[in-house]
Amino acid sequence: QKEVEQNSGPLSVPEGAIASLNCTYSDRGSQSFFWYRQYSGKSPELIMFIYSNGDKEDGRFTAQLNKASQYVSLLIRDSQPSDSATYLCAVAHTGGFKTIFGAGTRLFVKA
Amino acid sequence: DAGVTQSPTHLIKTRGQHVTLRCSPISGHKSVSWYQQVLGQGPQFIFQYYEKEERGRGNFPDRFSARQFPNYSSELNVNALLLGDSALYLCASKRVGHLFTDTQYFGPGTRLTVL
């Protein structure tokens, strides 16, 4: 079992729709959860981080965390073609000295 | 403030050679982590350094080593290069106030090609 799992996609949504990206993790002691966006050939860019169960909203982005289910998600409202990228879920390892990334989900937003 | 910087941007080496990659963290950040990202995969954790000491190591062979300098910059060294070492090498820094909450920021990466 991988430590952080994501559906590799591609996930294709029309412009203006809601894109839903999911992530599960195996270490119950994980404390911090991050979503990064990575454009092709570029380095990851931090979008959101969440530490507590529930929802956290920032503009068009909402991160959701359910520690009991070991599940993290990212919702992108009013998706734009510029949102087309790979979205990486990352989980901070217990102790804080190691962050594990999922393989990423490719998102395509069709104009 | 400048972001994380890495050098060189691109590098081509041949099998068996060694390589040194460099990273300068964001000002005020004392922790540097190194990741390897091959095409189609997420970044794989190699090392984390904090206050010049190794604090974490991923599942990489001893050919990979790193160090952190007093100014918090860091070097990643890879010896006896293999074709499979071809990847994007990412450096990330974080401030480390609260270990579980500080977020890390990535540099632009070094693209290493081994022929």
Side-chain angles (χ1 to χ4, degrees):
Chain A
Q1 180 189 11
K2 293 183 180 179
E3 293 183 75
V4 179
E5 296 208 48
Q6 296 181 252
N7 187 326
S8 63
L11 173 65
S12 183
V13 301
E15 184 176 359
I18 295 176
S20 178
L21 306 165
N22 305 314
C23 171
T24 58
Y25 61 96
S26 60
D27 184 354
R28 284 196 170 274
S30 299
Q31 303 256 355
S32 307
F33 307 86
F34 307 89
W35 283 100
Y36 286 85
R37 177 176 63 197
Q38 187 173 29
Y39 293 111
S40 180
K42 301 295 185 181
S43 63
E45 170 192 11
L46 180 69
I47 299 176
M48 297 273 301
F49 55 88
I50 186 167
Y51 310 120
S52 304
N53 277 327
D55 295 358
K56 179 182 179 182
E57 185 175 319
D58 184 0
R60 296 187 297 113
F61 300 97
T62 299
Q64 299 174 317
L65 173 61
N66 184 326
K67 289 187 178 180
S69 300
Q70 296 175 249
Y71 176 87
V72 193
S73 67
L74 179 70
L75 300 178
I76 306 175
R77 291 181 299 281
D78 189 24
S79 295
Q80 302 297 309
S82 59
D83 294 326
S84 298
T86 296
Y87 289 81
L88 298 164
C89 172
V91 176
H93 197 269
T94 302
F97 287 119
K98 185 176 181 181
T99 301
I100 306 298
F101 283 79
T105 297
R106 293 181 65 190
L107 172 67
F108 290 105
V109 181
K110 299 175 293 185
Chain B
D1 283 344
V4 178
T5 59
Q6 292 186 244
S7 63
T9 305
H10 296 86
L11 203 52
I12 299 175
K13 292 285 189 178
T14 57
R15 284 177 296 175
Q17 287 188 312
H18 73 272
V19 67
T20 297
L21 310 181
R22 296 178 174 83
C23 171
S24 292
I26 293 171
S27 177
H29 286 198
K30 297 183 178 181
S31 173
V32 169
S33 295
W34 286 96
Y35 292 84
Q36 179 196 66
Q37 187 176 26
V38 299
L39 197 62
Q41 296 183 19
Q44 299 294 309
F45 174 76
I46 308 176
F47 289 110
Q48 180 170 9
Y49 277 77
Y50 174 58
E51 291 286 11
K52 301 180 291 295
E53 291 188 10
E54 180 184 307
R55 301 301 183 105
R57 171 185 282 257
N59 294 324
F60 280 81
D62 292 342
R63 299 185 296 107
F64 288 77
S65 63
R67 56 180 175 168
Q68 187 177 34
F69 299 99
N71 66 353
Y72 303 109
S73 66
S74 178
E75 284 183 353
L76 175 69
N77 295 283
V78 186
N79 293 323
L81 286 167
L82 303 174
L83 294 179
D85 295 330
S86 295
L88 179 67
Y89 287 84
L90 295 162
C91 173
S93 75
K94 66 179 181 180
R95 182 167 29 93
V96 187
H98 300 279
L99 290 175
F100 300 119
T101 60
D102 276 4
T103 56
Q104 57 182 356
Y105 299 89
F106 283 89
T110 294
R111 173 73 62 186
L112 173 64
T113 302
V114 182
L115 302 177

